[in-house]
Amino acid sequence: MASKGKLSEEFDVLIIGSGPSGSVAAKWMTEAGMSVVLLEQGDWVDPGDYPGDKPEFELAGGKQWHPAPNFRDHERDYPINTKESDVEPLMASAVGGSATIFGGHWVSFLPSDFRVKTLDGVADDWPFTYEDQLPHLLAVEHALGISGTAGNTAYPPQGSYPTPNIPIGKVGNKLASGLDKLGWHWWPGPNAMPSIPYNGLNPCARRGTCMFGCNEKAKWSPDLNFIPESIKGGLKLIPGARVREIEYNDDKQRVTGAIYIDRNGRERRQLAKTVIVCGNTIGTPRILLNSKSKTFPDGLANNSGLVGKRLMMHPFGLVMGHFDEDLESWRGPSGMLIETMEFYETDESRGFVRGAKWGGMSGGGPLSTKGFVGSEVFVDGGKIEDAWGVNWHQMMDRRFGRTGLYAIIGEDLPEESNAVTIDDDLVDSDGIPAPKVVYKTSENSTRLLDFHSARAEEAMLAAGAIETQVCPQMRESGWHLLGTCTMGLDREKSVVNEWGQAHDVPNLFIFDGSTFPTSGGANPTATIMAVAHRQTMHMINERRNVETA
Amino acid sequence: MDKLNDEDRKTFAVLADYLIPEYGNKPKATAVGVHQELLDKVLAVRPDLSTDFIRGVRFAAGNDVSDALNTLNKDDRIAFDAITLVATGGYLMSETVREAMGYPGQEPAPYDPHETPEYMTNGMLERVTLRGPIYRPTPRDDD
Ligand SMILES: Cc1cc2nc3c(=O)[nH]c(=O)nc-3n(C[C@H](O)[C@H](O)[C@H](O)COP(=O)(O)OP(=O)(O)OC[C@H]3O[C@@H](n4cnc5c(N)ncnc54)[C@H](O)[C@@H]3O)c2cc1C
Ligand code: SF4
């Protein structure tokens, strides 16, 4: 397809997407002296515009700042057909990607996560181990200024975090006391927010509005340091650039760059010797499936037929506990106060395989008293008078400021029927075909959530909760998007190799969470960034050998 | 749908006070202007609620408050949710209400990052450490 724009300069590397994964590649590659261009469909966000420091923040979180693109309806987002999905995928389109609104819960995967086939006989082992990615995790943690406490017994020894733990507050102490009574594992929460000034970030001020964006410039996101540093180092960032397709030259058998639509609706072509896709687990397969050529009529690098398949979204459980004392539970960070991995590893006597990590958090602002970050999860039944009038006031008195919660992040096993495809009709504001998500929660996930929710309720009661609420699975809980361009050694069964290089196209790479063979049961960004760093360093080291266009 | 008019405000005032009456030190909804300035503020932040809100309010106009709200909750949940969200959203933005609740807003809470936390000194974290590692290591062949 011909581009109307004039021919651009050819860069060593073209990265698509400026979230955690793309920004890792941009930072370390520009530092290594490579010429890098980064196309990002979103715009810069001014931290002053985040709603967190404004009284209306929770109202805004229900619409303009909602984490689901289908709810927000921003022109920079692409719509997603989710009619056949049990879960709504959540993300942001911005310089900095979804990290602009992520919770900053920093939880790296465990050794067993890389070996689920060997240990539990399910899904697939990763082509590398926990130990292989560890140095990369540590490099990323150092760059971000993660706050945390060394010695977590859920992990092999790892050394200390670059900044001290943020106070876990009254809620964190309360939740920890319950786990302590039961003799269960807990640890103060590591977070992607420093407790002291660090590498351009301010210390976390415990405002507690992390998932509405951080006004303090404390919660890490790429736009705060990685991207500006990279620009200083020569990165060419083009915001508002929406990639329609990656171009493949059938004769040379290489990709040559990408066609994108700029902010003014003009079609442009960007040339590069190597293309790295970091559009996230929905955005990346969408681009590949939209990139058709004689060689790849079913989508770029899709000889395996697996592009878009094996979508994983962590099953999410929520258990709230209300206490008989003022815990100032609107305080942050949110962010994790504490975490527990007590039931992380497989015990088949529970009726399911794999497990979950729980994050202990504060209840949040006053409007969240009946919900969780903008989503009303506990629906009233019966006569309205049961929930309103004096009863509403009494409910607020009982719960607001007195609530702790466990956010349960369960492992999702890969299934080919859970998939991202291209919708027949839906397009974004530039007319580019939009994705469709088909996703059913599995029996294993349902059992896992039932078990974990029951244990979390026990933990709340042990901590002294006078009232608990176990939430049925929330639809708007697709925070963690993984799979869809699986990494593996067998080209018939995977899309990219262990270095994120497409089996079918030597100068095409994918560095985001779409390459994860399995999902772990932990918030994924630490591991997404560690893996992106591993792939980036490999590319830098091998750059002379990488075949180029 | 038409724009919000004075009649709608009057109807909403009655609904809002029914949903949020005076209680202890907390004022009733209209006492803090939930039907006036706060209503404008809420709809400015959330114009998307407007149509459902107005539809619900007009349905309730002239009817018994309890009947109207219960019918909406049963037959037009979207309008009912818009009305309750506008009422609580506005109410909880009021400085007077926040003060009565003892809620200062999402203000910064300064701390000393180098202070030793209580869980380090009272034995709570040590007990976790003493129970030993709980992870399953990478199987040996991979080492
Ligand atoms: C509300 C919320 C809370 C979360 N909390 C946590 C947490 O506490 N801990 C945790 O570990 N994880 C959390 N996550 C997940 C975390 O945000 C993601 O794992 C992480 O951002 C993934 O990084 P990424 O770079 O792969 O993708 P993203 O951050 O999603 O970035 C992808 C970028 O690619 C761009 N893009 C996509 N398609 C195109 C195209 N065609 N052209 C140009 N640009 C394109 C997008 O605009 C976007 O900026 C949360 C997510 C959300 C939404
Ligand atoms: S709790 Fe900390 S990181 Fe979160 S929004 Fe507040 S200042 Fe930012």
Side-chain angles (χ1 to χ4, degrees):
Chain A
M1 216 174 287
S3 161
K4 291 175 196 117
K6 64 175 178 156
L7 274 189
S8 69
E9 177 191 352
E10 187 185 53
F11 283 76
D12 290 339
V13 178
L14 159 60
I15 301 169
I16 304 169
S18 68
S21 59
S23 68
V24 164
K27 174 180 160 63
W28 273 278
M29 284 180 186
T30 46
E31 275 175 18
M34 296 163 93
S35 69
V36 184
V37 59
L38 173 49
L39 301 178
E40 167 55 58
Q41 66 183 354
D43 287 311
W44 287 97
V45 189
D46 178 347
D49 290 343
Y50 290 130
D53 61 350
K54 302 162 188 72
E56 68 270 20
F57 77 103
E58 287 172 294
L59 280 170
K63 184 67 186 172
Q64 302 91 318
W65 290 97
H66 197 288
N70 285 343
F71 285 53
R72 281 191 301 259
D73 247 355
H74 276 190
E75 184 263 337
R76 285 290 101 202
D77 288 319
Y78 51 84
I80 306 170
N81 178 345
T82 55
K83 287 192 191 116
E84 292 175 44
S85 176
D86 290 347
V87 174
E88 192 71 30
L90 310 178
M91 64 185 80
S93 302
V95 175
S98 307
T100 52
I101 56 164
F102 88 144
H105 302 205
W106 189 260
V107 192
S108 65
F109 282 11
L110 276 64
S112 72
D113 291 325
F114 299 84
R115 285 291 175 271
V116 296
K117 180 80 175 171
T118 304
L119 289 169
D120 296 325
V122 289
D124 300 286
D125 287 345
W126 289 47
F128 49 85
T129 62
Y130 168 86
E131 286 72 17
D132 292 330
Q133 60 83 54
L134 185 58
H136 303 282
L137 175 72
L138 298 178
V140 168
E141 289 185 344
H142 180 75
L144 263 62
I146 301 298
S147 56
T149 303
N152 191 343
T153 54
Y155 293 87
Q158 265 187 22
S160 57
Y161 290 99
T163 77
N165 223 101
I166 298 164
I168 67 171
K170 294 182 183 174
V171 174
N173 277 301
K174 189 52 93 183
L175 296 178
S177 73
L179 297 167
D180 183 46
K181 255 187 221 155
L182 293 165
W184 292 356
H185 171 263
W186 74 275
W187 206 255
N191 289 299
M193 40 194 86
S195 53
I196 51 175
Y198 197 92
N199 192 16
L201 302 177
N202 294 316
C204 166
R206 300 181 66 207
R207 262 187 199 282
T209 58
C210 318
M211 276 186 263
F212 302 88
C214 176
N215 302 98
E216 300 284 334
K217 297 195 202 169
K219 185 193 72 181
W220 176 83
S221 53
D223 51 311
L224 295 177
N225 50 18
F226 280 21
I227 302 282
E229 281 166 17
S230 305
I231 291 172
K232 272 195 202 143
L235 169 74
K236 181 174 178 195
L237 167 76
I238 310 181
R242 200 178 242 147
V243 172
R244 187 183 68 204
E245 63 183 284
I246 297 167
E247 287 192 301
Y248 181 78
N249 184 314
D250 291 294
D251 298 328
K252 292 184 184 153
Q253 299 180 8
R254 299 286 185 275
V255 292
T256 53
I259 304 278
Y260 68 94
I261 314 297
D262 75 11
R263 206 196 302 280
N264 302 316
R266 292 204 1 219
E267 188 180 300
R268 294 186 177 272
R269 170 180 282 141
Q270 178 61 58
L271 301 177
K273 296 186 180 113
T274 301
V275 175
I276 306 173
V277 198
C278 296
N280 88 28
T281 288
I282 313 275
T284 291
R286 174 199 185 207
I287 295 171
L288 296 189
L289 293 171
N290 274 335
S291 306
K292 293 186 176 166
S293 57
K294 211 163 82 213
T295 312
F296 296 110
D298 300 322
L300 186 60
N302 195 16
N303 281 345
S304 65
L306 283 170
V307 171
K309 294 189 175 156
R310 296 168 60 114
L311 167 67
M312 294 170 280
M313 296 192 272
H314 287 146
F316 178 75
L318 178 65
V319 173
M320 287 188 168
H322 308 294
F323 294 84
D324 202 10
E325 64 194 277
D326 183 6
L327 298 174
E328 299 179 332
S329 63
W330 59 82
R331 285 235 194 282
S334 68
M336 275 184 309
L337 303 171
I338 64 160
E339 66 178 21
T340 172
M341 305 279 198
E342 178 67 23
F343 303 104
Y344 194 86
E345 304 290 356
T346 297
D347 175 347
E348 287 195 35
S349 69
R350 295 173 190 151
F352 59 89
V353 286
R354 309 298 298 153
K357 161 254 164 186
W358 317 346
M361 298 170 70
S362 283
L367 259 190
S368 301
T369 306
K370 284 168 66 192
F372 181 61
V373 275
S375 299
E376 189 155 315
V377 292
F378 299 109
V379 182
D380 310 318
K383 274 183 77 72
I384 70 116
E385 282 79 2
D386 296 341
W388 293 96
V390 165
N391 285 328
W392 181 77
H393 281 297
Q394 288 176 345
M395 182 277 296
M396 290 298 286
D397 279 356
R398 269 198 325 274
R399 297 182 186 168
F400 177 58
R402 296 160 178 259
T403 297
L405 55 90
Y406 279 122
I408 300 167
I409 307 291
E411 174 147 355
D412 194 11
L413 294 171
E415 291 180 37
E416 287 193 19
S417 54
N418 289 333
V420 175
T421 57
I422 299 299
D423 192 73
D424 292 337
D425 305 310
L426 201 62
V427 291
D428 64 22
S429 59
D430 289 315
I432 305 172
K436 172 180 175 176
V437 169
V438 175
Y439 179 87
K440 289 272 156 283
T441 303
S442 71
E443 182 62 30
N444 194 69
S445 294
T446 305
R447 287 195 197 157
L448 179 153
L449 281 183
D450 286 348
F451 172 88
H452 277 265
S453 300
R455 297 294 80 70
E457 197 176 14
E458 276 174 41
M460 283 294 180
L461 293 170
I466 51 167
E467 194 189 347
T468 57
Q469 288 174 287
V470 177
C471 167
Q473 208 193 346
M474 256 164 74
R475 183 175 162 80
E476 290 123 47
S477 60
W479 288 286
H480 305 152
L481 309 168
L482 301 163
T484 73
C485 293
T486 303
M487 162 168 55
L489 300 176
D490 182 347
R491 57 188 307 142
E492 305 281 311
K493 292 185 181 158
S494 54
V495 178
V496 297
N497 69 17
E498 66 163 316
W499 302 109
Q501 180 181 32
H503 288 302
D504 303 337
V505 186
N507 65 337
L508 175 69
F509 292 77
I510 305 173
F511 283 3
D512 61 24
S514 68
T515 65
F516 281 24
T518 57
S519 74
N523 315 55
T525 308
T527 309
I528 289 176
M529 293 181 73
V531 172
H533 187 268
R534 176 180 183 272
Q535 317 304 45
T536 298
M537 295 327 266
H538 181 75
M539 188 184 280
I540 292 170
N541 293 337
E542 298 286 306
R543 72 204 241 205
R544 285 196 189 83
N545 305 332
V546 171
E547 299 178 68
T548 51
Chain B
M1 173 120 356
D2 293 346
K3 280 212 151 94
L4 189 77
N5 59 38
D6 285 350
E7 220 28 62
D8 297 329
R9 280 183 202 274
K10 275 187 206 151
T11 311
F12 177 55
V14 178
L15 300 177
D17 280 343
Y18 190 76
L19 293 166
I20 311 177
E22 186 180 341
Y23 175 73
N25 67 342
K26 319 258 177 22
K28 63 179 178 181
T30 54
V32 295
V34 155
H35 58 311
Q36 291 162 335
E37 199 188 322
L38 285 171
L39 174 55
D40 296 333
K41 266 196 195 165
V42 171
L43 292 182
V45 180
R46 293 292 304 272
D48 58 295
L49 295 174
S50 196
T51 304
D52 301 325
F53 173 77
I54 295 176
R55 183 176 70 250
V57 168
R58 292 199 180 157
F59 171 82
N63 287 323
D64 174 78
V65 192
S66 171
D67 285 352
L69 288 172
N70 275 295
T71 308
L72 279 175
N73 186 35
K74 208 156 43 76
D75 299 341
D76 189 353
R77 179 79 201 207
I78 293 177
F80 179 79
D81 287 347
I83 291 173
T84 53
L85 183 58
V86 171
T88 50
Y91 188 74
L92 294 168
M93 275 203 281
S94 149
E95 279 304 321
T96 316
V97 171
R98 288 178 168 214
E99 213 165 289
M101 291 168 70
Y103 171 55
Q106 301 302 125
E107 52 161 30
Y111 58 93
D112 173 3
H114 301 292
E115 189 179 285
T116 307
E118 204 185 315
Y119 54 76
M120 288 285 198
T121 53
N122 67 5
M124 219 157 84
L125 201 62
E126 198 185 1
R127 284 193 279 283
V128 179
T129 309
L130 289 175
R131 284 196 292 271
I134 60 164
Y135 63 89
R136 284 189 295 171
T138 303
R140 264 197 159 309
D141 285 356
D142 287 330
D143 288 350

